[in-house]
Amino acid sequence: MSAPYPWQSGQWARLQQAQQTGRLPHALLLAAPAGTGLRAFAERWGQARLCRAAHEQRPCGQCPACEQSAAGTHPDFVRLEPEERGKAIGVDAVRALTERVALTAGPQGKVALIDPADAMTLQAANALLKTLEEPPAGSVILLLSHRASRLPATVRSRCQVLTFGLPPRQAALEWLQQAGVAEAPTWLARAAGAPLAARELATEGVDAEPAIDGLLATLEAGAAPPGLAARVAQLPLQTSIPLLTTVVADLVRLRVAAAAEQRLHHPARREQLQRVAGRLDVRALFHYLDELNRAVPGPSSGLRPDMQVQGLLADAAALRRAAGREGRTD
């Protein structure tokens, strides 16, 4: 037993080597796209760290320490996450974590996991700085984030960053097929290449077609169809915004890349995508793609999902209107 997913084997080996050579950092920022198994990686590694019978940093899964880690009851495995999904992590919660980390630990030390680290308020992040600078001996603090750029620079600079990219497409497809996901290429495309997100979409049977059709209609006509924002807002922002991103990424590829049809997220829509792409300014498309990539609100944001979606669709409509004023017809 090593990394939970095959595309994480390189990162697992790096941590294994660092521990064996005594160069394991006391604070690690694990950064990965959503839907790729980051939390599972951190949980497995923390279990291996505390395992009494681990061989080459692979947890045995049977000793009392492994059983406690898996059950979430190990006294030296401290986890911090929002009380509710999408909420912020406050300063009191961080102070409680640092107090627990400072307590005497067993022979394997302590592991503290903060997920997602970018959910910390600025005050909470500042409260963590001293522990990051002067951690208790033998402790390792794992900060997990799908949006590491949103962490304060003071936090990032005190951590060693371990980055996880999207898995290779073929590896992701093989994993989905082994997991019994039918039409794996379609679901992987809709999840922007994130296999766990693709499996979740397939399991839930999310109907993404209205969102895709609506965005393309908006870009083509310069106005969102009636009721589109409300329909898209029925999907979680963690689902809808990456989905819209894949559509715009395809439009960009069709404008700037040769043989782009081989790398589209939505190859079955190539003709429609080509038609829409030809009517838009490529620089404006790049700007809009960047906006989508930054669009998921932070945990402390009070912005309503329907207002977020409405704003994004309004900006999409503006792309077509701007191109029309410039006389683009190609």
Side-chain angles (χ1 to χ4, degrees):
M1 189 193 306
S2 54
Y5 302 104
W7 53 84
Q8 299 170 332
S9 59
Q11 290 85 353
W12 185 276
R14 286 179 57 186
L15 290 186
Q16 177 181 327
Q17 183 179 23
Q19 178 146 307
Q20 291 174 342
T21 57
R23 294 181 296 171
L24 185 69
H26 63 267
L28 277 162
L29 172 56
L30 308 183
T36 57
L38 184 62
R39 178 64 179 259
F41 180 95
E43 290 279 358
R44 177 75 60 81
W45 188 85
Q47 182 180 354
R49 169 82 173 173
L50 298 174
C51 177
R52 298 291 184 90
H55 175 64
E56 294 184 352
Q57 284 306 294
R58 291 172 172 81
C60 71
Q62 299 175 346
C63 69
C66 281
E67 292 177 350
Q68 287 179 313
S69 295
T73 59
H74 198 299
D76 292 331
F77 199 159
V78 187
R79 299 168 177 85
L80 177 58
E81 54 191 348
E83 293 184 359
E84 297 180 24
R85 183 177 179 180
K87 299 296 184 180
I89 296 175
V91 63
D92 291 340
V94 168
R95 286 172 178 163
L97 176 135
T98 58
E99 289 174 2
R100 287 191 61 186
V101 171
L103 296 175
T104 302
Q108 275 72 29
K110 283 186 180 289
V111 175
L113 188 157
I114 304 176
D115 179 31
D118 52 89
M120 291 187 293
T121 65
L122 181 58
Q123 188 178 10
N126 288 337
L128 185 65
L129 294 180
K130 184 176 181 180
T131 300
L132 293 177
E133 291 173 347
E134 302 173 4
S139 64
V140 179
I141 302 173
L142 305 176
L143 287 78
L144 279 58
S145 180
H146 303 310
R147 299 169 294 177
S149 61
R150 294 192 177 186
L151 279 166
T154 51
V155 172
R156 296 198 306 270
S157 65
R158 289 166 171 79
C159 302
Q160 182 170 314
V161 181
L162 186 62
T163 302
F164 300 70
L166 287 171
R169 183 174 182 274
Q170 189 57 40
L173 287 174
E174 290 175 0
W175 182 82
L176 286 169
Q177 290 162 354
Q178 291 172 3
V181 175
E183 300 181 9
T186 297
W187 293 113
L188 186 63
R190 291 178 180 177
L196 272 69
R199 183 180 63 179
E200 183 176 353
L201 290 175
T203 301
E204 295 177 353
V206 174
D207 183 8
E209 298 304 317
I212 299 173
D213 290 336
L215 177 61
L216 288 172
T218 300
L219 290 167
E220 193 164 15
L228 175 61
R231 292 196 298 273
V232 176
Q234 291 176 356
L235 299 173
L237 290 176
Q238 293 81 0
T239 298
S240 61
I241 292 180
L243 176 64
L244 299 181
T245 301
T246 63
V247 176
V248 179
D250 279 354
L251 295 172
V252 170
R253 287 170 178 164
L254 286 166
R255 287 301 308 275
V256 303
E261 64 271 20
Q262 302 299 324
R263 297 181 289 113
L264 295 181
H265 292 292
H266 307 280
R269 293 175 174 265
R270 183 181 182 279
E271 184 176 344
Q272 182 185 19
L273 289 164
Q274 186 76 65
R275 183 179 69 248
V276 174
R279 297 176 178 178
L280 299 172
D281 179 76
V282 68
R283 291 170 297 180
L285 278 172
F286 271 114
H287 287 308
Y288 187 55
L289 181 60
D290 185 57
E291 178 184 355
L292 287 171
N293 284 325
R294 294 183 285 106
V296 179
S300 59
S301 172
L303 190 62
R304 290 166 35 188
D306 57 338
M307 297 298 294
Q308 176 85 336
V309 170
Q310 187 173 345
L312 292 172
L313 291 175
D315 290 344
L319 294 183
R320 179 66 185 104
R321 293 196 300 270
R325 287 193 297 270
E326 294 170 6
R328 174 173 287 280
T329 59
D330 58 328

